Amino acid sequence: MKKRILGEKGFKVSEVGLGCWQLGADWGEAISKDRAFDILDEAVNNGITFFDTADVYGNGKSETLIGEFLKTCDAHIRVATKFGRAGNAYPDKYSKHVLRRTVEGSLQRLQVNALDLLQLHCIPTQYLKDGEVFNWLRDLQTEGLIKHFGASVETVEEGLICMKQEGLLSLQVIFNIFRQKLVSELLPQAKEKEVGIIVRLPLASGLLTGKFDAETKFPENDHRNFNKDGESFNVGETFAGLPFKKGLELVETIKKDILPDDLTMVQLALRWILDHDAVSTIIPGASSPKQVIGNAVVSNLEHLSPQIHEQLKKLYETQVHQHIRGGY
């Protein structure tokens, strides 16, 4: 597993991290503690040293599982968590008191004295523009409760706003073959300012695994069912904002016209992201140890050819971009 540096004054992270939303089990198939530990253990065994979670995932369950697991693990794992969607803060009750209370809860569940990285969790743009929340983060950093801070954002505009803030270590963004807008402005600025980039939804909620078809059904409580058109939260968080049917068509086009014989769809999708040197790490989720292994091997694959990159760029420009919905 190769490593990259997260941010100007940050720390080394594995190129492939682990997204831990699924461990919270508040959507889709419930994951038992034993299965969660198997997933986390396989991640460590494959050189993954960066876990991403949030206080809201399973109402703290994901953080709790990670905290318990790390007590049994000798590897040095960096854990990023988030603030802004749990409790009563969202959408308009943010305060330094609420932030401190939330951080104290995360510290307790993760069983640590200081958070490696605390990220604002897609909070409304108005609070990012106002900027006072960043002063609160700096105060907690000075007190030693958090080591670094960053922001998980939904749009390029929000990312550019956050990058004006002194001390911002990282941005977490949606970036994949179906979401390429970031290439032209956000990624170059992040590289110039040495702001780390954490990529969520690298497989577009599973679309880019190539395993779904028109007959695929998702559980009633799975966001790919109840949020497929943005009914519950930002539509961009589900299937990268594409209508499911259109996404399936585009995947078939990639399989037919672009996918090399020696790569799987997952490998193509993840390698494409890692080929962008502004990216620090990708955080695909996993519901089984096998998926962890399949994701981790991508770090050691060769870069995609310039021809494949050009084909995927053209696909985005001519067949994808116009179908993306929601903030971007």
Side-chain angles (χ1 to χ4, degrees), residues 13-26:
V13 291
S14 51
E15 287 188 334
V16 180
L18 180 68
C20 298
W21 187 12
Q22 287 164 298
L23 300 188
D26 49 6

Side-chain angles (χ1 to χ4, degrees), residues 56-203:
V56 75
Y57 296 167
N59 193 28
K61 181 180 177 182
S62 177
E63 288 182 329
T64 299
L65 287 169
I66 292 170
E68 292 178 1
F69 171 79
L70 292 181
K71 289 299 181 182
T72 72
C73 174
D74 294 330
H76 184 47
I77 305 298
R78 299 284 192 169
V79 179
T81 191
K82 306 182 191 76
F83 155 78
R85 289 286 171 147
N88 298 320
Y90 183 83
D92 58 3
K93 292 183 174 60
Y94 295 101
S95 69
K96 187 175 180 180
H97 170 72
V98 172
L99 170 61
R100 180 184 297 276
R101 188 181 67 210
T102 299
V103 166
E104 289 172 348
S106 292
L107 289 169
Q108 182 177 22
R109 289 186 292 271
L110 289 167
Q111 301 184 51
V112 294
N113 296 320
L115 300 178
D116 290 321
L117 173 62
L118 180 67
Q119 305 161 99
L120 299 176
H121 197 175
C122 300
I123 70 173
T125 309
Q126 68 195 67
Y127 290 97
L128 300 177
K129 288 181 176 179
D130 173 72
E132 185 62 19
V133 66
F134 292 101
N135 292 328
W136 304 337
L137 290 169
R138 292 185 191 100
D139 287 345
L140 292 187
Q141 188 178 35
T142 299
E143 293 177 36
L145 295 180
I146 64 176
K147 297 177 183 178
H148 303 279
F149 64 86
S152 180
V153 297
E154 295 178 341
T155 67
V156 168
E157 177 198 9
E158 291 175 348
L160 297 177
I161 291 169
C162 291
M163 278 196 282
K164 296 177 182 177
Q165 292 290 335
E166 182 181 352
L168 185 85
L169 182 75
S170 61
L171 287 174
Q172 186 174 137
V173 297
I174 304 173
F175 181 52
N176 56 53
I177 287 172
F178 291 154
R179 301 270 290 199
Q180 298 188 29
K181 180 180 177 181
L182 285 65
V183 171
S184 61
E185 186 174 9
L186 190 144
L187 293 188
Q189 287 205 32
K191 185 177 179 180
E192 179 183 350
K193 296 176 181 292
E194 296 185 271
V195 172
I197 294 293
I198 301 167
V199 174
R200 70 183 186 274
L201 295 169
L203 296 173

